[in-house]
Amino acid sequence: MTARALGRSGVSVGPLSFGAAAIGNLFTAVTDEQAARAVHTALAHGYRHFDTAPHYGLGLSERRLGAALRDHPRDAYTLATKVGRLLVEDGRPGPDDQGFAVPATHRRVWDFSADGVRRSLEASLQRLGTDRIDLVHLHDPDDHADQALREAYPALERLRGEGVIGAIGIGMNQAALPARFVRDTDVDAVLLAGRYTLLDHSGLDVLLPLAHERGVGVLVGGVFNSGLLADPRPGATFDYAAAPAELLDRALRLEDACEQHGVPLRAAALHFPFGHPAVVSVLVGARSAAEVRDAAAMLDRPVPAALWNGLRERGLLPAHVPVPAPTG
């Protein structure tokens, strides 16, 4: 698959994107060396888009990603970060309470004001050690939609016009609010996490058709739904919580159907979003070189049309859900 443009921005992304939350010590710690090796391996295996945020490890992800990319030509990759949470120093740090194995040296403060956008980007540029960011997402404005529309988005639009950033996106794990931004603004991209997978097709209801109509590129994250579609077994997680029994059963039936065609479930999960023409990339989180190599190998695996037909026959994929062209 070739690189595809995000809206009319001129920023392009490849089919496989690197999600850098894990190298910000999401749930468990990794070393600087492990993080750097994961990023270098991603470049060697064809990843061309790297996604981070101040939220991820209280800036640790941005610092590690910037350090790992520093020796590579800047035009060899595109870089995304996010705005909406400012990092404010905390004089009495304890453990982080938002899932990252880092000391809470800073507090996250919601801020979708124009000033907050500029301050956040200035800090991100410094942590990343770069002079430009290709794509900036409004990050999880679920409870701040009005301010994000009135203040943050226009600030990003001005920065895009000035050439400080290349493209504007919105990154969320729901589909309704991104659809509103696609409808009411001139965003270039949507990062949709967990809402267009083999288990959750809700992104197809409104967002994906609207994005396609408006020429907005959709990057799909969370294709494994936080683990269930990577390794379905008792105790597996769905959206970062224990998977309900009915979802675990569905994932196991998906796995069985895939095995009938010699295709790992992980490969089917990675290929699936490309059935919709709005989807330009899948974004996969990785904390190690091994995970990077695995995702690249899974996306390279041939997936025959018979697999998708088999999922429909078993009632695991509704008839109206588009599927990718067969590969291999």
Side-chain angles (χ1 to χ4, degrees), residues 141-142 144-150 170 172 174-187 190 206-207 210 214:
D142 303 71
H144 310 272
D146 289 341
Q147 187 183 37
L149 277 163
R150 283 195 327 269
I170 179 168
M172 303 189 73
Q174 58 143 299
L177 188 54
R180 179 181 172 189
F181 274 81
V182 171
R183 186 180 296 110
D184 296 344
T185 73
D186 191 27
V187 293
V190 172
V206 176
L207 176 60
L210 182 62
R214 295 291 299 268

Side-chain angles (χ1 to χ4, degrees), residues 7 57 62 65 72 110 126 134 186 206 219 230 234 246 262 286 297 311-312:
E62 289 184 319
L65 184 59
H72 296 273
W110 290 104
Q126 185 175 28
D134 301 288
D186 191 27
V206 176
L219 302 95
E246 63 272 18
L311 294 184
R312 294 197 196 285

